[in-house]
Amino acid sequence: LLLRTIARRAVPVLRGHTVTQRANVSGRPPKDAVGPMETVVGIGMFSMAILAPSGWILAHLEDYKKKD
């Protein structure tokens, strides 16, 4: 009975400090236009981030197959 009473009083206090998350969604066009050079650099960086590790693994596949 005592533990139940303590739990009932403690739960609202513990849950009272929750942080509500809000998404920053905007339906407006961007303030500054993204130029073609920025687009090429951005797509290039994303491509390198995805393709470089897999290319490294494929280039060194024979090294990984060797049993030392």
Side-chain angles (χ1 to χ4, degrees), residues 1 4-5 9 11-13 15-17 21-22 25-27 33-35 41-43 46 48-49 56-58:
L1 182 64
R4 189 180 310 163
T5 305
R9 291 183 182 176
V11 168
V13 173
R15 290 185 183 169
H17 299 290
Q21 296 179 351
R22 296 182 60 196
V25 178
S26 176
V34 178
V41 169
I43 291 174
F46 278 117
M48 287 299 295
W56 176 270
I57 291 170
L58 289 174

Side-chain angles (χ1 to χ4, degrees), residues 27-44:
R28 296 176 284 157
K31 293 178 183 177
D32 299 324
V34 178
M37 192 60 184
E38 293 172 334
T39 304
V40 168
V41 169
I43 291 174

